[in-house]
Amino acid sequence: MCYFVAMTHQEIREKFRNFMESHGHTWVASSSLLPDDPSVLFTTAGMQQFKPYYTNPAMAPAKNVASIQKCVRTSDIDEVGDESHLTFFEMLGNFSFGGYFKDEAIRLAYDFITREMGLTIDYVSVFGGEDTVPADDDSERIWKALDPSIEVRKAGRADNFWGPTGDEGPCGPTTEVYVNGIEIWNIVFNQYFQTKEKELRLLETPGIDTGMGLERLAMVVQGKANIYETDLFPNHPTDRAGRIIADHSRAIVALIAEGLEPSNKDRGYVLRRLIRRIVTLEYMAGRSDVDLGPVYEQEKQKFLKTLGTGIKELGRVAEVDAAVAFRLYESYGLPYEVIKDIAGARAGSLTRGAFDEKFKEHQAKSRAGAEKKFGGHGLLLDTGELKAGNPEELQKVTRLHTATHLLHAALREVLGTEVHQAGSDITPERTRFDFTFPRKLTDEEKAAVEEIVNDAIKRDLAVNMVTLPKQEAEGTGALFFFKEKYPDPVNVYYVGPDMLNAFSKEFCGGPHVTHTGEIGRFTITKEESVSAGVRRIRAVIS
Ligand code: ALA
């Protein structure tokens, strides 16, 4: 008698890690779901935390790395409930920044799938060429050399070209591995950098970025017909609503664990929508047993106050178009997918595009209204970096903002000028500053940074601003986060007697204190890792 015991998802994880480590990869932990890249909402792929390394391989902690990255993708939200689409999933990936290229990447994938997982490849696809991007004949040859009987299909940019994430970044042709008709592994050859203007430039060092969904891999390895039958979903939901609840629950818990709160904006709004959808599906099914902790519960109770009336109102409408849908959102907080779930065929012609359009129009109007109310000063509430709601908060974030410039300068003094800002976020309570640096800071380094900042505060240096043409501003050696973020001409804030002898100078929109003495005492409260090669400091003033 022989029992076949399917591999658990834990065993799949371990096999992947062992395989990649034994083939010269450095293992890197999953990074946050909320990346610092201002052009993306969530981490959607394993490569997100390594994005800077493709243009700057010297920055990478190792040439070849591998990870299992938690990801959130809202692009597939309307397909969730089918066999294989999720909003939250984990991605197994191996990456190279100048270590290896197509030969090695394809061989690794072939060996892992056929030998380690014991699977049979249905077929693979390669990039057939389109526009100015030439066909990838190498990959076809490499696959055929590994297995002459393998079927190689060709497709264009829509299917076999990946990236970039956000506004710009590395991207390139792909080869994809299919098992049981399901796309299992996407191997991206990052040969290009796509600019904001959608121009493709050749990367100096071509890189590798691969991604394989853990849930889909488990599905084929465990011989299941859909991801919900794998051991990753122990309650194996069978109906669409149950599956959506299972998927969204995982996304909600993961996002709340990162400190995200439901709101009406950006990331927070995605979280709100996911929660409201589950609440609605439960409400319609007459159950109420989903328990995802206090943040979920609070949002649920809030939504339940209007959901019943919203459903009643929706029931009165024969044909739900974008205008009606948006009105229901505004009055009762019903998100698009909730309206779709409830109204069914009556919302058959409603599209996400049309709804989002109404949403954007509304946001633009309310932004204009808010700016008028705050005397055209803009909401200091939220410049992206600074958030303040009233004059006291404004004063606090202004002091913290200048302190953050001092911190940046002090870090470069102590750790070296390869330190660059990788993001920042300032609330009335604290500043949070992310910067490129490969390792943990020692206690001595942290103390030295604090002392330099406090010394600059004690000297009560003047803070001044000049407006310069961008090119000239660059020539002054003033620091900037990333150039494209700033207008031309640009404001440069400097701390010290003049530009030449400044302790700190940065491109910046302000606001700042007039003298550093206004800041008070500066204290670092935490230093931690955000992603490979990026550290985060939290600091307060008193
Ligand atoms: N970054 C590639 C993807 O997400 C591997 O499919």
Side-chain angles (χ1 to χ4, degrees):
M1 193 71 125
C2 162
Y3 292 97
F4 175 71
V5 181
M7 229 182 278
T8 65
H9 70 269
Q10 271 320 341
E11 287 167 318
I12 297 176
R13 286 182 205 274
E14 281 159 29
K15 284 204 180 224
F16 183 74
R17 177 169 181 164
N18 291 340
F19 179 81
M20 287 302 166
E21 282 182 334
S22 70
H23 288 83
H25 293 76
T26 299
W27 191 255
V28 177
S30 174
S31 67
S32 164
L33 279 170
L34 313 178
D36 285 309
D37 183 342
S39 67
V40 302
L41 279 186
F42 299 112
T43 295
T44 58
M47 66 80 72
Q48 182 70 47
Q49 68 164 317
F50 307 125
K51 208 172 154 180
Y53 303 158
Y54 292 96
T55 34
N56 195 352
M59 237 177 100
K63 273 193 158 73
N64 308 324
V65 301
S67 68
I68 301 181
Q69 175 68 49
K70 53 189 168 185
C71 299
V72 164
R73 276 191 195 178
T74 51
S75 52
D76 292 333
I77 194 167
D78 295 325
E79 274 139 303
V80 172
D82 72 357
E83 284 67 42
S84 60
H85 287 90
L86 293 162
T87 57
F88 174 87
F89 61 95
E90 289 179 88
M91 189 183 271
L92 316 176
N94 54 296
F95 310 85
S96 188
F97 326 103
Y100 58 83
F101 201 45
K102 293 182 184 177
D103 275 294
E104 177 82 359
I106 293 176
R107 196 173 52 73
L108 285 169
Y110 180 79
D111 285 352
F112 185 77
I113 290 290
T114 59
R115 298 205 188 137
E116 301 291 317
M117 296 291 106
L119 295 166
T120 306
I121 296 176
D122 264 359
Y123 64 93
V124 297
S125 63
V126 301
F127 182 64
E130 194 174 325
D131 302 333
T132 53
V133 190
D136 177 12
D137 298 327
D138 301 335
S139 291
E140 179 172 17
R141 187 180 41 73
I142 297 166
W143 280 116
K144 288 282 187 198
L146 286 167
D147 177 357
S149 69
I150 209 159
E151 182 192 346
V152 179
R153 299 189 186 174
K154 293 184 186 174
R157 280 186 77 154
D159 293 314
N160 279 83
F161 193 95
W162 195 87
T165 62
D167 296 343
E168 57 177 1
C171 56
T174 68
T175 180
E176 297 174 350
V177 181
Y178 285 77
V179 175
N180 297 351
I182 293 271
E183 181 199 330
I184 290 301
W185 206 336
N186 187 21
I187 298 157
V188 186
F189 306 118
N190 278 329
Q191 285 161 261
Y192 302 97
F193 184 92
Q194 183 175 302
T195 65
K196 287 206 175 82
E197 294 72 38
K198 304 237 180 300
E199 186 196 334
L200 290 179
R201 299 198 182 134
L202 275 178
L203 276 177
E204 224 162 88
T205 311
I208 291 292
D209 157 28
T210 89
M212 173 161 54
L214 175 64
E215 297 77 6
R216 288 188 185 185
L217 181 61
M219 167 180 160
V220 295
V221 167
Q222 296 172 5
K224 306 294 186 190
N226 68 68
I227 44 183
Y228 300 98
E229 284 176 28
T230 67
D231 62 344
L232 280 149
F233 294 90
N235 62 345
H236 307 314
T238 49
D239 62 315
R240 185 166 167 273
R243 289 171 171 185
I244 293 171
I245 291 175
D247 164 70
H248 287 14
S249 295
R250 299 200 319 162
I252 290 164
V253 169
L255 290 172
I256 291 174
E258 304 258 9
L260 191 64
E261 301 256 346
S263 76
N264 281 339
K265 251 189 82 184
D266 303 334
R267 294 169 170 174
Y269 184 54
V270 173
L271 177 58
R272 168 160 285 168
R273 278 163 51 198
L274 293 168
I275 295 179
R276 292 189 170 185
R277 187 141 186 230
I278 296 196
V279 174
T280 308
L281 292 172
E282 276 202 293
Y283 185 91
M284 296 201 308
R287 51 183 267 210
S288 179
D289 55 354
V290 176
D291 177 7
L292 303 176
V295 176
Y296 172 83
E297 198 53 35
Q298 215 177 7
E299 177 69 14
K300 172 176 166 173
Q301 293 310 329
K302 205 150 102 191
F303 187 45
L304 281 175
K305 291 201 180 109
T306 55
L307 177 61
T309 328
I311 291 178
K312 241 187 255 149
E313 280 300 312
L314 189 51
R316 289 192 227 280
V317 187
E319 170 80 29
V320 184
D321 61 13
V324 170
F326 189 72
R327 185 170 57 73
L328 290 166
Y329 161 70
E330 265 200 298
S331 314
Y332 310 106
L334 306 186
Y336 167 84
E337 47 281 319
V338 163
I339 292 171
K340 280 286 214 188
D341 284 339
I342 301 172
R346 288 180 298 118
S349 61
L350 173 66
T351 65
R352 184 179 287 284
F355 183 85
D356 287 350
E357 209 42 56
K358 287 268 173 259
F359 200 89
K360 271 195 222 121
E361 273 169 33
H362 173 81
Q363 277 194 329
K365 262 190 233 141
S366 61
R367 208 167 23 245
E371 269 163 23
K372 219 160 131 201
K373 196 158 109 203
F374 282 78
H377 228 240
L379 288 171
L380 285 165
L381 264 181
D382 199 355
T383 66
E385 189 191 11
L386 299 171
K387 292 164 192 73
N390 56 46
E392 291 83 70
E393 288 188 354
L394 178 58
Q395 198 232 27
K396 195 80 190 281
V397 295
T398 304
R399 289 163 57 209
L400 275 164
H401 189 196
T402 310
T404 308
H405 280 215
L406 301 181
L407 169 64
H408 191 184
L411 283 168
R412 289 165 60 92
E413 200 171 313
V414 175
L415 305 174
T417 49
E418 64 274 17
V419 166
H420 284 286
Q421 176 176 358
S424 79
D425 177 81
I426 300 172
T427 68
E429 287 75 42
R430 51 103 185 113
T431 176
R432 198 187 75 195
F433 186 74
D434 294 349
F435 57 100
T436 55
F437 195 63
R439 59 161 174 85
K440 193 170 173 55
L441 269 58
T442 64
D443 287 344
E444 291 72 31
E445 286 166 337
K446 276 188 281 185
V449 169
E450 263 182 8
E451 197 181 316
I452 292 169
V453 173
N454 281 314
D455 184 57
I457 292 172
K458 225 177 285 155
R459 286 191 291 156
D460 199 20
L461 299 167
V463 182
N464 283 303
M465 189 266 280
V466 283
T467 307
L468 296 172
K470 206 155 153 185
Q471 205 170 355
E472 197 177 316
E474 272 174 56
T476 67
L479 305 175
F480 44 81
F481 181 13
F482 56 98
K483 227 174 20 209
E484 293 71 19
K485 198 179 135 176
Y486 304 92
D488 193 1
V490 64
N491 294 342
V492 176
Y493 277 85
Y494 62 94
V495 181
D498 53 58
M499 275 284 237
L500 214 58
N501 300 296
F503 172 75
S504 139
K505 46 191 170 194
E506 293 196 25
F507 288 22
C508 185
H512 284 283
V513 299
T514 60
H515 284 84
T516 56
E518 294 163 46
I519 294 171
R521 186 159 182 83
F522 173 88
T523 314
I524 293 176
T525 52
K526 197 166 181 189
E527 191 269 338
E528 62 189 329
S529 155
V530 204
S531 59
V534 180
R535 311 291 305 175
R536 168 170 291 174
I537 280 184
R538 286 172 201 270
V540 296
I541 51 173
S542 54

